[in-house]
Amino acid sequence: MKGRKDPLGLRGATRDYRIVYAVVIGLTLGALWAYLRPHGMSTSSTFGYDRLDGSSSKQDGAILSLESKVAMLEREVKRLKVENTELAQLNLKNALLEQEAAAAKKQLKAVSPPVKVGPPGTVKSMRTNQEVHPDESTNPKLSALLKKVAVNGELIVGISNNNVRDMVQIWFESIKRVGVTNYLVVALDDEIASFCQDHDVPVYRRDATISKSQAGTGANHAISGLKFHLLREFLVLGYSILLSDVDIVYLQNPFNHLHRDCDVESMSDGFDNTTAYGYDDVMTDPSMGWSRYAHTMRIWVFNSGLFYIRPTVPSIELLDRVTAKLTKEKAWDQAVFNEELFNPSHPGYEGLHASRRVLDFYLFMNSKVLFKILRKEKDFAEYKPVTIHVNYHPDKYDRMLAIVEYYVKGNTKALQRFPDGSER
């Protein structure tokens, strides 16, 4: 039987197409291999690295890149876990603080419930802050002493060293004379401590170091700056203190003339009603034309040598602020005392929220009032102040003796020989 003839040579054509297909497939695979492996089977410096011994390590660049990304993601996950833990802790602390704040508000509301406002003239705010809870553990020795000395939780405290022994004697003799028993000398050296013991004066021996910033300010000012630090212990123990410099003569019992309605009651350096209690001082600036006048409030400073301070949080904060500033700056303690009491809150500074009272300047008198004004007034010939502070004059001891001569011994000429001021 004759074989069939292949029409148009299809068998040959099929073979040709297969060859073509094979060539195309080969070229395609070759191109793909060339794309994926542009440098053949060897590892170039782009994807590999040379070992220290000089041999090449064949590494796949794509695999290394992927591993790097995985490692980076793992580190990021760890970091986020740490941050999440810290955030959880902060959220917990914040929740606790919010609970404490809410509890404090409830307590404050319980202690000071809302009040109904009355008609004009009947509304008065609180002036006395709550006293602190005494902490005897801060100084058991001083606590035991104060229990014996203090009366009704208050006493006079004077701070001194042996340099002013003669003035100290006039000071405590005048206190005894007016019948005050609740007073104490804080002795800064053994000599004045022994002197007080010999004269049956309550004494507390206390070492105190003058800060470097106060060195060179003078012995009196340096010791004066120490008192704010030393007084803190008394307040923390829960006692109200009439802090007294030793250049003061007592002519009446001061505790009968205190108001006890503020954190701080202080004598004034003022010499009349306006300077002692405040006044409107008008300043002028002609360049401003119509608005040339500016009104200012002025008051002469509180005297840091005689003030009554109650054991409240603002009072202790006042002592801490003054002490902190005096340890850093060469400043006068009285100036710092007044700055902290009176400077209002302003940008970058939070003012002290303490209540304050100026004592009657005729009762708690400074030596300017006595020697420049009072001794010349006939109407005041029989007048007797509560205390006289010889703060305006350097010849303190002589003037203290003269004050005793005049008011205690009745020598009406005892004050005449002194000049008004400090000139000799």
Side-chain angles (χ1 to χ4, degrees), residues 259-271:
H259 294 262
R260 301 175 179 85
D261 63 344
C262 293
D263 296 307
V264 179
E265 297 179 56
S266 176
M267 69 165 287
S268 172
D269 273 1
F271 56 91

Side-chain angles (χ1 to χ4, degrees), residues 134-185:
D135 184 5
E136 296 183 6
S137 65
T138 57
N139 193 329
K141 180 181 178 181
L142 179 60
S143 177
L145 176 60
L146 294 180
K147 288 179 180 178
K148 298 177 182 178
V149 176
V151 175
N152 297 324
E154 58 187 10
L155 69 157
I156 301 172
V157 173
I159 302 171
S160 180
N161 59 22
N162 198 51
N163 294 336
V164 289
R165 173 188 293 193
D166 293 337
M167 288 195 296
V168 171
Q169 184 167 359
I170 297 176
W171 177 82
F172 66 64
E173 285 179 348
S174 70
I175 292 176
K176 290 180 178 181
R177 189 180 301 115
V178 298
V180 173
T181 60
N182 50 327
Y183 69 101
L184 178 72
V185 173

Side-chain angles (χ1 to χ4, degrees), residues 112-408:
S112 303
V115 296
K116 185 177 181 180
V117 177
T122 64
V123 179
K124 289 187 177 181
S125 62
M126 291 182 60
R127 286 162 177 77
T128 50
N129 287 293
Q130 185 67 31
E131 293 187 354
V132 299
H133 183 73
D135 184 5
E136 296 183 6
S137 65
T138 57
N139 193 329
K141 180 181 178 181
L142 179 60
S143 177
L145 176 60
L146 294 180
K147 288 179 180 178
K148 298 177 182 178
V149 176
V151 175
N152 297 324
E154 58 187 10
L155 69 157
I156 301 172
V157 173
I159 302 171
S160 180
N161 59 22
N162 198 51
N163 294 336
V164 289
R165 173 188 293 193
D166 293 337
M167 288 195 296
V168 171
Q169 184 167 359
I170 297 176
W171 177 82
F172 66 64
E173 285 179 348
S174 70
I175 292 176
K176 290 180 178 181
R177 189 180 301 115
V178 298
V180 173
T181 60
N182 50 327
Y183 69 101
L184 178 72
V185 173
V186 177
L188 301 181
D189 54 46
D190 293 334
E191 291 79 9
I192 195 65
S194 298
F195 179 76
C196 290
Q197 291 171 350
D198 293 341
H199 289 78
D200 196 26
V201 172
V203 62
Y204 172 63
R205 177 70 172 91
R206 183 69 157 82
D207 288 321
T209 303
I210 297 174
S211 65
K212 293 181 180 179
S213 63
Q214 293 303 300
T217 59
N220 290 340
H221 282 178
I223 292 175
S224 186
L226 286 173
K227 63 192 173 191
F228 300 96
H229 169 65
L230 299 178
L231 274 182
R232 190 184 200 276
E233 293 181 332
F234 291 83
L235 267 60
V236 173
L237 291 173
Y239 291 88
S240 296
I241 301 300
L242 179 61
L243 186 281
S244 173
D245 283 355
V246 296
D247 56 345
I248 295 176
V249 177
Y250 287 76
L251 301 172
Q252 296 186 57
N253 187 334
F255 294 109
N256 296 336
H257 300 274
L258 297 173
H259 294 262
R260 301 175 179 85
D261 63 344
C262 293
D263 296 307
V264 179
E265 297 179 56
S266 176
M267 69 165 287
S268 172
D269 273 1
F271 56 91
D272 55 21
N273 287 340
T274 55
T275 56
Y277 308 140
Y279 61 102
D280 178 19
D281 185 28
V282 182
M283 307 294 289
T284 180
D285 181 1
S287 67
M288 292 298 293
W290 173 83
S291 59
R292 63 183 293 179
Y293 299 108
H295 293 256
T296 69
M297 290 305 301
R298 299 282 299 277
I299 184 173
W300 284 38
V301 295
F302 281 12
N303 189 287
S304 62
L306 185 67
F307 60 89
Y308 181 80
I309 186 166
R310 297 174 63 247
T312 66
V313 171
S315 295
I316 296 174
E317 184 182 0
L318 169 64
L319 299 181
D320 289 347
R321 286 187 177 206
V322 176
T323 299
K325 197 166 186 178
L326 291 177
T327 57
K328 299 175 183 177
E329 301 177 13
K330 182 172 287 188
W332 184 24
D333 68 280
Q334 181 163 291
V336 177
F337 176 69
N338 280 269
E339 288 170 358
E340 295 299 336
L341 268 177
F342 289 98
N343 281 351
S345 297
H346 56 263
Y349 175 81
E350 183 178 352
L352 183 72
H353 299 280
S355 56
R356 53 200 181 273
R357 168 184 283 274
V358 183
L359 292 169
D360 188 326
F361 73 93
Y362 278 128
L363 293 177
F364 297 87
M365 189 179 298
N366 61 61
S367 56
K368 179 176 181 177
V369 174
L370 175 64
F371 286 98
K372 189 172 183 178
I373 302 171
L374 204 68
R375 65 172 174 169
K376 302 174 184 179
E377 298 290 338
K378 294 181 179 180
D379 293 340
F380 284 91
E382 303 297 325
Y383 181 77
K384 181 181 288 187
V386 176
T387 61
I388 298 177
H389 188 181
V390 187
N391 61 314
Y392 269 99
H393 301 87
D395 50 338
K396 297 178 182 295
Y397 179 68
D398 289 341
R399 292 190 187 240
M400 289 177 73
L401 287 174
I403 290 170
V404 173
E405 283 287 325
Y406 182 88
Y407 284 102
V408 178

